[in-house]
Amino acid sequence: MARLLNDEEIGRQLRDLPGWGRDGNAIRATYEAPDFPTAIRLVDDVAQDAEQMDHHPDIDIRWRAVRFTCATHSEGGLTQLDVELAHRIREAAARLGATSGE
């Protein structure tokens, strides 16, 4: 079981995640890929990391825009797993030239 982060911890962690913001019990970011095939590669890269972590984001694809939502549903809020996955998503996006709406 993962421990829920408190508000102060969440705020501190989000300062290291440009483009990510809190939305209730989740954190979210949207990345704009250079083209649709790159957006799909981003989703595939994130899927590999998520599967390795056994922690899966909600993903919404709209042409070149990919929105990720991370939350630990089993704990009812945000845990360190969500923050780690958000960092991995950010790294994958950077590798592929996708930018966030910072």
Side-chain angles (χ1 to χ4, degrees):
M1 289 176 58
R3 178 183 70 79
L4 286 175
L5 300 174
N6 64 40
D7 289 340
E8 189 274 324
E9 290 170 318
I10 294 166
R12 185 169 19 92
Q13 299 263 12
L14 284 174
R15 285 194 287 276
D16 293 332
L17 284 165
W20 285 82
R22 186 173 183 184
D23 185 6
N25 286 332
I27 54 175
R28 292 197 168 119
T30 300
Y31 290 91
E32 185 87 15
D35 52 37
F36 183 71
T38 303
I40 298 303
R41 280 195 298 277
L42 174 58
V43 170
D44 189 49
D45 286 359
V46 169
Q48 299 300 317
D49 282 338
E51 193 66 14
Q52 177 191 34
M53 294 175 68
D54 192 27
H55 191 65
H56 307 88
D58 293 335
I59 302 171
D60 181 49
I61 306 167
R62 307 288 175 161
W63 185 36
R64 299 180 307 143
V66 184
R67 182 176 185 148
F68 296 94
T69 302
C70 298
T72 305
H73 302 291
S74 62
E75 298 301 317
L78 291 162
T79 69
Q80 195 61 40
L81 283 170
D82 302 306
V83 173
E84 175 60 29
L85 183 55
H87 278 288
R88 290 185 185 200
I89 292 168
R90 187 168 175 260
E91 290 164 6
R95 279 193 310 274
L96 293 170
T99 57
S100 69
E102 298 177 45

